[in-house]
Amino acid sequence: MRTVLTALQTLVLLLTTVSLHAEVPTDDENWEKAVDSDGIEVHTRNLENSRIDAFRAETVLDAPLEAVMAVMANPESCMEWVHQCSHAENLEGGSFRDRYAYSINDMPWPVSDRDYVLHITTHTGESRDHIIIEMESVDGRVGKKDGYVRMPESSTVYEFSREGENRTRIVWYQHAAPGGSLPNWLVNQLATDIPYESLRTLNDVVQKERYQGHELAFDKEGRLVDVIPPEENVTPDSEPTPDAEGG
C-alpha cells in the first residue's frame, strides 16, 4: 500500500500538463490548512481556471541559511530529499543566479520515467537574509530521450528567511495540473503529502556535514551571486604556516 501511495504521490508532482500557464500564487489569502504535523504546515488553495489546487508548505529547518543555500545550489541534492529523483545536473552556460538543470525521476513500473528541464532563477528578497528561488519547466536545451517522458510545465517558488543564527524558514509554493485519468479529488488529497514528506527529509539533509561552513557571496547591489564552500573561504592570513623545523 505504501508503494502504491508513493507512486501516486510522485505522479501528482511529475505528470504536469498546465494548459493555462497558471502561475503559483504567493500571497497570504485564501489558503486552507491541510496538514499540521512535526512543525510542518501545508495549505492548499483553489486557482481560477484550474481544477487542481496549489499548495503552500512551510517549516523552520534546523540549519543556518548558508547550509540551506548550499543544498539548493547542489543539483545532486535533488536525489537526497526529492522523492523519486534519480538524476540531476546543472546544464552549461548559466550562472548561480540564472541557470538551467536537467533531472530524471525514477517512476515505478509500469509508469515511464520522467525527465525535465528547469529554468532556475535566484534573487535576494527584502534583505540578504531573504532568498527566493523560482523554478519553471522549459522546452529544449536537452533533447528528448528514449525511455523517458518529457514533463511539460510546472511552477515552483521557494522562499528562505533566516530565523536567528542557526535556523531557516522555508515557504514552498507549487502548482501542478497532472494529466492522465487520476480523479482531481485524489490528486489534491495526495498533493498535500508530497511537500510534507519532502520537508521532513530536507531538515535532515541540511544538517549533513558537507553542507556546513559555506558562505553567501553578494555583489555590490546586494544580490546573491554564489554559495562559497569552506575550502574556498580560506584567506592568506588563515593559511597554515610552515613548520619551524622545516625552515
Side-chain angles (χ1 to χ4, degrees):
M1 183 64 176
R2 180 66 178 176
T3 302
V4 173
L5 286 176
T6 300
L8 290 173
Q9 289 169 351
T10 306
L11 279 170
V12 172
L13 268 184
L14 302 184
L15 302 182
T16 54
T17 54
V18 185
S19 59
L20 297 174
H21 303 277
E23 294 184 357
V24 59
T26 57
D27 56 61
D28 293 328
E29 299 179 358
N30 302 319
W31 293 99
E32 296 184 3
K33 185 181 294 185
V35 176
D36 186 356
S37 181
D38 297 320
I40 300 170
E41 291 189 6
V42 180
H43 294 74
T44 60
R45 169 178 173 172
N46 296 122
L47 296 183
E48 186 177 357
N49 298 324
S50 176
R51 294 177 296 174
I52 306 302
D53 291 343
F55 71 72
R56 176 185 188 274
E58 182 173 1
T59 193
V60 176
L61 303 170
D62 295 318
L65 182 60
E66 290 80 4
V68 178
M69 287 298 99
V71 173
M72 301 305 292
N74 174 19
E76 295 182 0
S77 72
C78 170
M79 295 176 281
E80 295 184 82
W81 70 280
V82 178
H83 284 300
Q84 309 296 329
C85 180
S86 61
H87 175 82
E89 62 179 283
N90 276 333
L91 300 179
E92 295 182 358
S95 64
F96 174 76
R97 295 182 60 247
D98 193 337
R99 55 197 164 104
Y100 292 85
Y102 172 74
S103 294
I104 297 173
N105 286 84
D106 184 16
M107 301 294 289
W109 186 89
V111 179
S112 298
D113 289 349
R114 259 59 185 176
D115 69 346
Y116 52 97
V117 177
L118 289 174
H119 182 205
I120 305 171
T121 55
T122 303
H123 54 95
T124 307
E126 298 174 353
S127 70
R128 295 188 178 191
D129 293 331
H130 179 210
I131 307 300
I132 300 170
I133 297 178
E134 298 180 78
M135 299 182 179
E136 295 285 343
S137 58
V138 296
D139 294 327
R141 293 195 172 260
V142 175
K144 293 185 178 180
K145 302 181 179 183
D146 293 339
Y148 299 103
V149 174
R150 180 61 51 89
M151 288 175 54
E153 300 180 29
S154 63
S155 180
T156 301
V157 176
Y158 296 108
E159 291 194 26
F160 304 93
S161 302
R162 193 184 301 277
E163 294 271 317
E165 188 173 337
N166 293 308
R167 305 187 82 197
T168 302
R169 182 174 299 277
I170 175 175
V171 184
W172 172 8
Y173 303 89
Q174 184 162 315
H175 178 253
S181 58
L182 290 176
N184 293 335
W185 66 266
L186 179 59
V187 171
N188 289 328
Q189 177 180 335
L190 294 176
T192 61
D193 295 335
I194 296 171
Y196 170 73
E197 296 295 341
S198 296
L199 290 179
R200 287 184 62 190
T201 305
L202 179 60
N203 194 45
D204 293 331
V205 171
V206 295
Q207 297 179 63
K208 292 183 176 181
E209 182 62 30
R210 63 177 169 273
Y211 294 120
Q212 309 311 307
H214 289 66
E215 291 186 1
L216 305 183
F218 297 86
D219 63 15
K220 294 181 179 179
E221 285 73 37
R223 297 174 300 187
L224 180 63
V225 296
D226 206 354
V227 180
I228 310 299
E231 58 268 21
E232 297 182 20
N233 291 334
V234 178
T235 62
D237 290 339
S238 62
E239 291 180 351
T241 57
D243 292 338
E245 188 175 329

